[in-house]
Amino acid sequence: SDFDTGKKFFLGFANVINAIRKCPKIVIGRVHGKAVGGGVGLASACDYCMATKYASIRLSELAVGIGPFVIGPAVERKIGLSAFSQMAINATEWQNAEWGKQKGLFTESFESVEQLDAYIIHFTQELVNKNQEALRLLKKVFWEGTDHWDQLLESRAEVSGTLILSDFAKEAIKSFLNA
């Protein structure tokens, strides 16, 4: 309803992405259904993300009059500018788990939730037996060049906070809710 509320809403995603980025531990993601917009951003922020073949992803922001500004840096970092552009512009098309795996969002794609969960248990047991200092330093390497993200994601939240107030966005959201 106003800029401050809009910015605060979008800062929620920014804060979670930055928390994952700054966390000294490897953050593992698990996707077994549809991930839309911010969900794709959170999966992208994970250091290692796995899915079932039933997972699907979509950046729907443009369809409601905004863009994936806050989550964009995490998504682009994970899948590249070309794939990010494709998803951001084609805001109504779902991409399947295999597409996500090919683009680097998902490291693995499993036939069932049970297989996914069994592998996560196995994988995390392997991780806890690794040199934790080496993992911490690897995480720093994975996130090199992102030290400016606190400010970047806040400025992107301001962009989204402004756009969400546009007549276009208000009408698109109203239509979506009435569908």
Side-chain angles (χ1 to χ4, degrees):
S1 59
D2 60 75
F3 173 76
D4 289 335
T5 304
K7 178 182 174 183
K8 183 178 179 181
F9 173 81
F10 292 105
L11 273 175
F13 291 103
N15 291 336
V16 175
I17 290 168
N18 278 323
I20 292 170
R21 177 177 66 87
K22 294 174 184 179
C23 176
K25 301 286 187 180
I26 300 295
V27 176
I28 299 170
R30 173 190 179 276
V31 179
H32 63 90
K34 291 183 175 182
V36 182
V40 177
L42 298 180
S44 298
C46 291
D47 300 302
Y48 204 90
C49 191
M50 297 170 268
T52 68
K53 69 179 185 178
Y54 304 105
S56 53
I57 54 175
R58 182 175 86 185
L59 295 180
S60 59
E61 289 86 347
L62 194 59
V64 294
I66 59 173
F69 296 105
V70 174
I71 64 167
V75 177
E76 180 183 345
R77 174 187 158 272
K78 186 64 83 163
I79 68 174
L81 180 58
S82 179
F84 169 59
S85 300
Q86 176 185 345
M87 288 185 73
I89 293 169
N90 192 351
T92 58
E93 184 176 317
W94 289 96
Q95 301 298 334
N96 63 27
E98 185 57 33
W99 187 93
K101 184 178 176 187
Q102 289 172 359
K103 301 302 180 192
L105 177 60
F106 303 131
T107 56
E108 306 284 342
S109 176
F110 295 89
E111 289 293 315
S112 68
V113 172
E114 294 77 19
Q115 287 177 335
L116 170 63
D117 290 344
Y119 186 78
I120 288 175
I121 290 168
H122 163 76
F123 184 75
T124 55
Q125 288 301 314
E126 291 288 320
L127 271 184
V128 298
N129 292 317
K130 302 289 186 233
N131 180 334
Q132 295 304 299
E133 180 64 7
L135 285 171
R136 186 185 68 76
L137 293 171
L138 263 176
K139 174 134 182 178
K140 284 183 115 176
V141 168
F142 298 156
W143 287 92
E144 280 180 354
T146 63
D147 290 341
H148 66 291
W149 278 25
D150 287 324
Q151 295 77 29
L152 174 66
L153 299 188
E154 181 173 356
S155 69
R156 297 281 184 93
E158 291 172 356
V159 170
S160 294
T162 300
L163 286 172
I164 202 67
L165 297 174
S166 71
D167 290 339
F168 186 98
K170 288 178 182 179
E171 285 302 314
I173 291 169
K174 184 178 171 184
S175 294
F176 175 77
L177 294 174
N178 291 331

